[in-house]
Amino acid sequence: MIYASMSGNTEEMATAIENGIRETGAEIDVMDVNDCPDPAVLENYAGILLGAYTWGDGELPYEFEEFYDDMDKVDLAAKAAASFGSCDSFYPKYGAAVDLLNEKLTERGARLIHEGLKVELTPEDDDVESCKEFGRRFANELLFSKQNK
């Protein structure tokens, strides 16, 4: 999982998703996008989760831009993937960063196994549970995919 968080909302989502994944017994590596300068690392994993808040009127956060552009150099064929992020309904494009990440993952050949998970601003208790469930479903889908190969 690679994510960007400015106010801590997307980081809180990432932690809840990680907890959901670990509840299934699966392992996960979690990195802030600032600590992962090379998207080629994504090729080492069967499953990919990307998280980002939406900036301004529908852009990726600045700290994700270079990583996003450099994803054009990676082959994610047959990788299971999903995206998530905190959003603000004040802006005209709700959660556009999640949509942009999903589009990039698909463009690079990944197989989206979930719709993007979008949470309004700070995750409330029910949002945290939704994030955990998102993680559990992601891990279970990955395990199911591996068993059927």
Side-chain angles (χ1 to χ4, degrees):
M1 176 189 314
I2 297 174
Y3 71 92
S5 186
M6 180 173 67
S7 63
N9 296 339
T10 303
E11 182 176 19
E12 190 174 335
M13 291 179 71
T15 299
I17 293 168
E18 175 188 6
N19 290 339
I21 289 170
R22 291 192 190 282
E23 285 175 8
T24 70
E27 292 297 316
I28 182 170
D29 293 332
V30 180
M31 294 173 263
D32 184 292
V33 72
N34 293 315
D35 298 328
C36 184
D38 188 358
V41 71
L42 299 174
E43 294 178 345
N44 298 328
Y45 295 94
I48 300 164
L49 289 166
L50 299 179
Y53 60 95
T54 300
W55 181 251
D57 288 332
E59 295 90 39
L60 283 170
Y62 72 91
E63 61 264 50
F64 223 111
E65 289 174 350
E66 186 175 345
F67 185 92
Y68 177 88
D69 290 341
D70 288 346
M71 283 179 67
D72 288 338
K73 302 172 189 168
V74 298
D75 178 8
L76 303 179
K79 307 281 185 190
S83 298
F84 64 94
S86 61
C87 310
D88 187 342
S89 58
F90 172 79
Y91 294 102
K93 294 181 182 175
Y94 184 74
V98 174
D99 300 332
L100 289 169
L101 292 173
N102 275 344
E103 289 169 13
K104 181 65 80 171
L105 288 164
T106 302
E107 176 187 301
R108 302 311 313 145
R111 177 178 53 90
L112 294 179
I113 60 174
H114 294 300
E115 248 182 66
L117 178 62
K118 299 176 182 181
V119 169
E120 178 76 11
L121 300 171
T122 303
E124 302 293 331
D125 290 343
D126 57 332
D127 297 318
V128 170
E129 186 52 43
S130 293
C131 290
K132 286 182 181 178
E133 180 59 24
F134 183 83
R136 288 188 291 265
R137 285 187 2 235
F138 187 83
N140 287 329
E141 176 66 28
L142 214 61
L143 178 62
F144 180 76
S145 296
K146 285 181 180 179
Q147 289 175 344
N148 288 326
K149 283 191 175 182

